[in-house]
Amino acid sequence: AGAGKEPEEEFAPASRAPRDSYELRLMDDGLDAGGASTSALAAASGGSGGGGSSWLSWAVLLSPSAASAFACKWQVDRYQWKRGQLDEREAALSQAGGGGLTAKDLALMPESPPEYSRVVVEGELDLSTTIHITPRVRSVNGSPVPGSIVITALKPRGDRRAPPVLVNRGWAPATWMEPKGGACVKCVGVVRASETPSSFTPENEPGKRQWFWIDVPA
């Protein structure tokens, strides 16, 4: 026992983890790895499903734009159609110059003149041929008033070959009474074609003198 000798350090061997705990740790690591794989798989699945959602999102986003583009095109087409109609009317109105077609001109024409052609005729209204297109309701002083469109045949003066001309005398209330006797008049107007009845408009019954829409040939 020397006085100056340092005591030797004692090292205890490191305690080894039990085999069970080691295997348990490996199992935990396996679970972690499996969880990571499952998360990766879920992420992949979500990514593949997101493609359909993105297409749906784009479709919803672009639908208002497509609807607006269609509405704009419809408005442009309608404007062009309306502009063409106005041009045709102006051309028809100016076809016969400033005066307009006369009864003699109508008699010499093999076919009916174009619609909106200006016509000037003089003659006598045959009141026995008057028909009423009903029902035609008009607003008078803010109140609806039932009435009809009055149409009478005019016999042109000066040319026996000239066919009668149907004159649309306008709207009249149901209480209006036709004056007795003939009437010599000078009419300035435009040619109009027959009306196009809707699916809810009844058929005319000439035998009963019931007229619901203007049918020129009848």
Side-chain angles (χ1 to χ4, degrees):
K5 187 178 181 180
E6 295 182 359
E8 296 180 358
E9 295 182 359
E10 296 181 357
F11 295 93
S15 59
R16 300 181 61 182
R19 187 176 182 82
D20 294 339
S21 64
Y22 180 72
E23 293 177 352
L24 181 61
R25 184 171 61 82
L26 290 178
M27 291 178 62
D28 292 340
D29 292 342
L31 288 174
D32 293 340
S37 301
T38 305
S39 301
L41 181 60
S45 300
S48 62
S53 300
S54 63
W55 280 108
L56 181 60
S57 300
W58 276 107
V60 173
L61 182 63
L62 295 177
S63 294
S65 300
S68 299
F70 176 79
C72 291
K73 185 180 183 304
W74 179 81
Q75 289 288 354
V76 171
D77 292 343
R78 179 173 174 80
Y79 170 78
Q80 294 176 349
W81 171 80
K82 195 68 175 180
R83 186 68 261 176
Q85 291 286 322
L86 294 176
D87 293 341
E88 291 180 1
R89 293 181 185 183
E90 292 178 0
L93 287 172
S94 60
Q95 182 178 11
L101 299 173
T102 64
K104 183 177 181 180
D105 296 331
L106 296 176
L108 297 177
M109 296 181 69
E111 298 180 355
S112 299
E115 193 172 11
Y116 294 101
S117 298
R118 189 187 300 274
V119 178
V120 179
V121 292
E122 294 185 29
E124 182 179 356
L125 291 174
D126 186 0
L127 301 182
S128 63
T129 63
T130 298
I131 62 174
H132 297 263
I133 310 296
T134 59
R136 299 297 170 96
V137 180
R138 294 287 178 88
S139 178
V140 179
N141 297 326
S143 301
V145 178
S148 62
I149 300 296
V150 182
I151 296 180
T152 304
L154 181 143
K155 296 178 179 179
R157 180 188 304 169
D159 193 343
R160 296 181 179 180
R161 297 175 301 171
V165 178
L166 297 179
V167 178
N168 186 336
R169 300 165 62 188
W171 179 86
T175 57
W176 178 78
M177 299 296 294
E178 180 76 73
K180 296 181 179 181
C184 295
V185 295
K186 178 180 180 179
C187 295
V188 180
V190 295
V191 176
R192 294 302 309 271
S194 301
E195 292 181 331
T196 301
S198 66
S199 57
F200 301 100
T201 304
E203 291 292 335
N204 292 326
E205 298 184 19
K208 298 181 180 180
R209 298 185 65 83
Q210 292 183 353
W211 302 86
F212 304 100
W213 53 282
I214 299 175
D215 186 3
V216 176

